[in-house]
Amino acid sequence: MNICVYCSSSQHIDDKYLDLAAEVGAELARRGHTLVSGGATVSCMGAVTTAARAAGGHTVGVIPQVLVDIEVADRDSGELIVTADMRERKGVMDARSDAFLVLPGGIGTLEELFEIWTARVLGIHDRPLVILDPWGLYQPLRDLVTGMYDQGFTRANVFDAISWTTTVEQAFAHLEGRPQPVRPSVEELGEAAG
C-alpha cells in the first residue's frame, strides 16, 4: 500500500515523537509499503522518511514550492513532487494514498486529519484512517468530538470513520485491515447541508 503519514514539522518537540516517527517509517518499509509524506526533512517528517529509506522502503514526498525555496525539501526521496501550494499538496497526497496514518502534530497535521476524516464521514472515500497517539496528545480532540456528537453537531459515524491506536502494531493492524465503508443516510446528508 501507499500509506500517507501526517506528522509534525516542529523542531521544538520531545525526542520521543521523533523516535515514534522513525519506528513508524522502519515498520512501514519492513511491511513492504510505500511512504507518502509532506516531502520535508525537518522533525518527524524527516525522521519517518529517513527511517523508511534506511529500511529499504520507497518514499514519495509532496511539498509546495514555498518550502522548497527555504531548503527543507527531502531531495533524497524516491519521488519528490513539488506543488504550487499547500492545497495542491494535500490533494496530491490524498490521490497517491491507500491509507492514512496521523502521528502527533500541530495545526497543520490537524488540518490534514480533518480533511481526510470529513471525506470519510461523508462516504467520499473508504480508505483506512488511523491516529497513532501513545501519549494522549489527541485525547482533548477525541473529547471535543464526543461533545459535538452529544450536542447533535455530528453523527455517530464520525467515530466509525477513524481508528484510535496507541502502539505501532495496533496502527498497522488497522491500516492493513479493510474498514467498512461509512455511508451517511440521505436524511443525514440533508441535515449536514442545513
Side-chain angles (χ1 to χ4, degrees), residues 40 76 110 131 145 154 156 167 174:
D76 294 327
L110 286 177
I131 288 181
V145 175
T154 189
T167 69
H174 285 277

Side-chain angles (χ1 to χ4, degrees), residues 123-140:
I124 295 170
H125 74 84
D126 64 357
R127 293 168 285 171
L129 171 58
V130 178
I131 288 181
L132 174 54
D133 188 21
W135 301 287
L137 178 72
Y138 291 125
Q139 187 59 49

Side-chain angles (χ1 to χ4, degrees), residues 53-129:
R53 280 196 299 273
H58 180 69
T59 59
V60 177
V62 186
I63 189 167
Q65 184 64 54
V66 66
L67 296 182
V68 174
D69 293 343
I70 59 173
E71 299 181 8
V72 297
D74 181 10
R75 299 194 185 276
D76 294 327
S77 189
E79 290 178 66
L80 184 63
I81 301 166
V82 179
T83 63
D85 54 35
M86 296 291 277
R87 288 185 180 190
E88 184 185 1
R89 175 202 221 178
K90 288 187 299 178
V92 171
M93 291 173 76
D94 180 356
R96 294 291 300 263
S97 300
D98 302 308
F100 304 90
L101 177 58
V102 182
L103 303 184
I107 61 172
T109 304
L110 286 177
E111 178 193 19
E112 292 161 333
L113 164 62
F114 279 122
E115 187 166 320
I116 295 302
W117 193 0
T118 300
R120 179 118 167 73
V121 168
L122 293 174
I124 295 170
H125 74 84
D126 64 357
R127 293 168 285 171
L129 171 58

Side-chain angles (χ1 to χ4, degrees), residues 15-49:
D15 284 347
K16 68 185 180 183
Y17 296 111
L18 301 176
D19 294 341
L20 177 67
E23 183 181 352
V24 164
E27 184 64 14
L28 186 147
R30 188 187 72 74
R31 291 172 179 253
H33 302 304
T34 293
L35 171 67
V36 178
S37 77
T41 57
V42 294
S43 190
C44 292
M45 281 202 275
V48 72
T49 56

